[in-house]
């Protein structure tokens, strides 16, 4: 239903009752007053929903006369889906959240790891950056709000997106810091705790916002902001301390930060790398002379160092990045004669493994509509689930105005260690991409413009008046059911405080 085009989800009163905060509000009133309460709420504020009623011929018209009113979105949501390789227990923490918001997400099995990669484009919030200057015309014509680009606003949205999945590893690219130096929360905690930290230090403020969920961080700079000796952009790796222990870290080629992590709940190690080369910034800042080969030459050096480290011990390898070029080009160049180490790891992209494609990931200048962001994984790992692409491609300003805090899409992959994987769990490389797709015509009510409870998880943000097209839906392919929707990265279906409902 939600995959089909042209339909606007409809939410019944019973759907609203399942949302914790809204449900508690309705509990304060007698059942006969619930339709009146909904009608009053919709009339009191301008929101992207309208009252939807289905009255018999001759029945009284108007919101107050409806016995069973419902809400309908006034726009067609542009949704992303979590695509599953098949029925796997490893994905249950994402597909079957706890009913009690205080409990939070179930724990991922010890042999599985949830990885996020996000190019947050801190330079959008720096008025001196070429990317921010390029959006001045949109701000002057009111196409884009100036507040949309402020880091204080964007950081809250980014945090919601990152925290909703309770990920083990979070790789961040394009993050602004102060001082051209490597940083580690474990080696220099005092640097991250300085009370008078300037607002320009996005690294510190993002770390503080996620450290409440027990994440550590390592960071390496890539380049300085043109015209500044203090401000720089670089890459970071955040990890969940309760599940992973940092063993070592290193930077590569002034474009990457790598870390070796030991599982606290299993007996395996993982090497993870977060990358965005300087040439990628140059291309996004309008340098049309930057070629794909400029990206891959740097990335070959990163990979050589990474492969040598991987060969020293029995580890699993994950490479996340805003590579500046599409994965097919990167993997082709890594497989060339002058990059023989690539064959030792056997890189594949998580998206292509399940979807047979790498959907577009950015609306940034010069790379608009290309798949420059990816999560690569090596031999010894299976991909069990990924966050799919966004169907509708829009321009830079409209993308940011619709609620996305970056001009890149967040990437997600759930990976499993083949050695320790539960027997019977599906290996992604043996799965057809069709197994992960939920048919848009599988529900007859959806074709009639009627929304069942599967759409109800979107109502928390809808009731708060948000109209964002940065929505994502969690799909359990084995059950062919919609599990939840998030708007602007704030979980209403799979994160803390969410409610899950199967779409019947």
């Amino acid at each position: 239903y939600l995959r089909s085009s042209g339909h606007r989800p409809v939410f019944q009163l019973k759907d609203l009752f399942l949302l914790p905060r809204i449900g508690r509000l309705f509990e304060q009133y007698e059942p006969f007053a619930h339709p009146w309460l909904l009608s009053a709420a919709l009339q009191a504020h301008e929101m992207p929903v309208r009252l939807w009623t289905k009255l018999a011929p001759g029945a009284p018209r108007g919101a107050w006369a409806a016995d069973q009113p419902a809400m309908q979105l006034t726009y067609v949501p542009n949704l992303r889906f979590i695509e599953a390789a098949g029925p796997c227990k490893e994905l249950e923490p994402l597909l079957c959240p706890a009913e009690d918001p205080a409990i939070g997400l179930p724990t991922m099995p010890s042999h599985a790891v949830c990885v996020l990669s996000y190019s947050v484009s801190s330079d959008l919030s720096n008025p001196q950056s070429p990317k921010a200057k390029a959006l001045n015309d949109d701000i002057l014509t009111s196409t884009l709000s100036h507040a949309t680009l402020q880091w204080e606003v964007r950081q809250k949205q980014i945090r919601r997106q990152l925290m909703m999945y309770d990920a083990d590893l979070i790789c961040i690219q394009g993050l602004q810091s102060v001082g051209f130096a490597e940083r580690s929360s474990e080696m220099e905690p005092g640097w991250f705790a300085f009370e008078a930290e300037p607002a320009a230090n996005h690294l510190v403020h993002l770390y503080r916002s996620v450290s409440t969920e027990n994440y550590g961080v390592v960071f390496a700079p890539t380049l300085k902001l043109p015209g500044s000796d203090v401000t720089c952009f670089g890459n970071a790796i955040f990890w969940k301390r309760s599940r992973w222990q940092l063993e070592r870290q290193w930077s590569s080629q002034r474009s990457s930060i790598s870390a070796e992590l030991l599982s606290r709940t299993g007996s395996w190690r993982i090497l993870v790398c977060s990358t965005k080369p300087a040439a990628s910034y140059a291309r996004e800042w309008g340098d049309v002379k930057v070629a794909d080969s400029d990206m891959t030459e740097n990335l070959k050096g990163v990979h050589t160092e990474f492969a040598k480290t991987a060969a020293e011990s029995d580890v699993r390898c994950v490479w996340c990045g805003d590579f500046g070029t599409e994965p097919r080009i990167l993997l082709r160049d890594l497989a060339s004669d002058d990059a023989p180490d690539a064959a030792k790891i056997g890189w594949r992209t998580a998206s292509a493994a399940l979807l047979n494609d790498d959907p577009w990931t950015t609306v940034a200048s010069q790379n608009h509509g290309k798949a420059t962001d990816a999560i690569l994984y090596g031999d010894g790992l299976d991909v069990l689930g990924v966050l799919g692409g966004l169907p509708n491609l829009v321009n830079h300003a409209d993308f940011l105005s619709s609620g996305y805090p970056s001009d890149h899409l967040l990437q997600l992959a759930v990976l499993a260690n083949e050695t320790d994987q539960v027997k019977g769990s599906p290996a992604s490389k043996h799965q057809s991409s069709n197994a992960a797709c939920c048919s848009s015509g599988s529900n007859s009510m959806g074709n009639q413009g009627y929304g069942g409870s599967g759409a109800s998880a979107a109502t928390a943000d809808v009731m708060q008046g948000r109209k964002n097209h940065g929505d994502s839906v969690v799909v359990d392919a084995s059950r062919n059911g919609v599990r939840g929707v998030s708007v602007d990265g704030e979980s209403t279906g799979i994160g803390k405080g969410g409610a899950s409902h199967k779409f019947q």
Side-chain angles (χ1 to χ4, degrees):
Y1 165 69
L2 287 175
R3 285 181 186 268
S4 61
S5 61
H7 293 295
R8 297 180 177 90
V10 175
F11 311 110
Q12 307 293 329
L13 276 174
K14 63 180 180 180
D15 300 327
L16 302 182
F17 299 159
L18 295 173
L19 297 169
R21 288 175 291 179
I22 297 178
R24 287 192 293 269
L25 179 62
F26 275 106
E27 288 175 357
Q28 301 175 31
Y29 297 84
E30 294 293 336
F32 70 85
H34 291 168
W36 304 346
L37 180 62
L38 176 60
S39 300
L42 294 181
Q43 294 178 16
H45 302 282
E46 182 180 351
M47 291 187 289
V49 292
R50 62 191 174 201
L51 200 64
W52 186 89
T53 58
K54 189 175 182 180
L55 301 175
R61 300 283 172 172
W64 298 94
D67 291 330
Q68 295 181 333
M71 295 191 312
Q72 184 182 52
L73 292 184
T74 59
Y75 65 96
V76 178
N78 196 14
L79 303 172
R80 300 180 72 191
F81 295 76
I82 285 187
E83 311 284 2
C88 9
K89 294 181 65 177
E90 292 87 347
L91 288 179
E92 289 182 2
L94 295 181
L95 301 175
C96 304
E99 293 290 343
D100 185 351
I103 296 177
L105 289 171
T107 303
M108 190 75 66
S110 60
H111 64 274
V113 57
C114 180
V115 182
L116 300 182
S117 180
Y118 202 4
S119 184
V120 298
S121 295
S122 274
D123 49 339
L124 284 170
S125 300
N126 193 314
Q128 301 304 315
S129 78
K131 187 182 289 186
K133 290 179 179 179
L135 290 168
N136 281 340
D137 289 342
D138 295 297
I139 294 175
L140 293 175
T141 59
S142 299
T143 304
L144 182 66
S145 170
H146 176 70
T148 302
L149 301 183
Q150 293 180 354
W151 180 251
E152 293 78 6
V153 175
R154 296 178 58 219
Q155 179 182 293
K156 293 177 182 178
Q157 297 172 316
I158 290 170
R159 184 189 187 280
R160 285 199 296 268
Q161 286 187 309
L162 298 177
M163 295 297 100
M164 69 180 293
Y165 301 104
D166 197 34
D168 293 272
L169 307 175
I170 302 173
C171 294
I172 299 293
Q173 302 88 38
L175 185 60
Q176 182 172 297
S177 183
V178 173
F180 199 84
E182 294 185 29
R183 302 295 180 184
S184 170
S185 59
E186 315 305 281
M187 300 298 293
E188 46 183 346
W191 187 82
F192 289 86
F194 181 58
E195 292 184 2
E197 193 64 45
N201 198 337
H202 298 177
L203 166 64
V204 166
H205 292 290
L206 182 60
Y207 167 73
R208 289 176 181 176
S209 71
V210 303
S211 64
T212 58
E213 302 296 328
N214 200 21
Y215 283 93
V217 66
V218 291
F219 171 87
T222 296
L223 80 169
K224 294 179 180 179
L225 177 70
S228 174
D229 292 328
V230 177
T231 304
C232 65
F233 301 106
N235 305 291
I237 299 172
F238 294 80
W239 70 94
K240 195 100 174 158
R241 292 190 182 105
S242 59
R243 286 175 54 85
W244 297 91
Q245 175 180 310
L246 179 67
E247 296 287 282
R248 53 176 168 164
Q249 68 182 81
W250 66 97
S251 60
S252 304
Q253 304 291 314
R254 285 284 180 93
S255 64
S256 304
I257 179 70
S258 299
E260 180 177 347
L261 298 158
L262 172 66
S263 173
R264 292 183 182 271
T265 58
S267 58
W268 60 297
R269 295 172 181 268
I270 192 168
L271 280 183
V272 60
C273 180
S274 181
T275 292
K276 180 169 184 175
S280 177
Y281 290 93
R283 176 178 283 181
E284 290 188 352
W285 290 348
D287 188 346
V288 297
K289 297 181 180 180
V290 176
D292 289 330
S293 58
D294 297 321
M295 315 285 180
T296 56
E297 281 302 313
N298 175 274
L299 298 174
K300 285 179 183 179
V302 173
H303 181 268
T304 297
E305 296 181 30
F306 194 76
K308 289 180 180 179
T309 304
E312 296 173 358
S313 57
D314 182 20
V315 294
R316 301 294 180 258
C317 298
V318 177
W319 192 2
C320 300
D322 172 6
F323 297 106
T325 187
E326 296 188 289
R328 60 181 178 83
I329 297 174
L330 172 61
L331 295 179
R332 179 200 67 194
D333 288 2
L334 288 180
S336 62
D337 293 339
D338 58 341
D341 291 329
K344 299 178 182 179
I345 295 182
W347 290 118
R348 299 175 292 279
T349 67
S351 292
L354 284 185
L355 309 178
N356 289 333
D357 185 30
D358 290 304
W360 69 267
T361 64
T362 180
V363 296
S365 174
Q366 309 301 325
N367 281 329
H368 185 269
K370 294 183 179 180
T372 61
D373 304 85
I375 297 176
L376 308 182
Y377 67 101
D379 293 334
L381 290 172
D382 278 336
V383 57
L384 304 179
V386 298
L387 186 58
L390 193 66
N392 300 331
L393 179 63
V394 297
N395 64 42
H396 203 173
D398 288 345
F399 187 80
L400 296 171
S401 296
S402 66
Y404 286 95
S406 175
D407 50 9
H408 291 256
L409 287 173
L410 178 142
Q411 305 299 301
L412 174 147
V414 176
L415 305 170
N417 184 8
E418 287 181 346
T419 304
D420 300 327
Q421 193 172 352
V422 176
K423 188 176 181 180
S425 294
S428 63
K429 57 188 175 184
H430 301 305
Q431 299 295 322
S432 165
S433 62
N434 293 331
C437 296
C438 173
S439 172
S440 61
S442 63
N443 188 290
S444 60
M445 289 189 297
N447 296 326
Q448 300 170 10
Y450 176 88
S453 61
S456 64
T459 53
D461 285 312
V462 169
M463 287 292 286
Q464 295 180 35
R466 297 188 179 97
K467 182 178 179 180
N468 294 308
H469 302 290
D471 308 341
S472 63
V473 173
V474 179
V475 172
D476 182 347
S478 63
R479 298 178 178 85
N480 199 29
V482 176
R483 286 289 181 177
V485 179
S486 72
V487 181
D488 184 29
E490 182 168 359
S491 173
T492 59
I494 64 172
K496 297 180 179 179
S500 65
H501 317 289
K502 187 174 180 180
F503 183 64
Q504 300 289 350

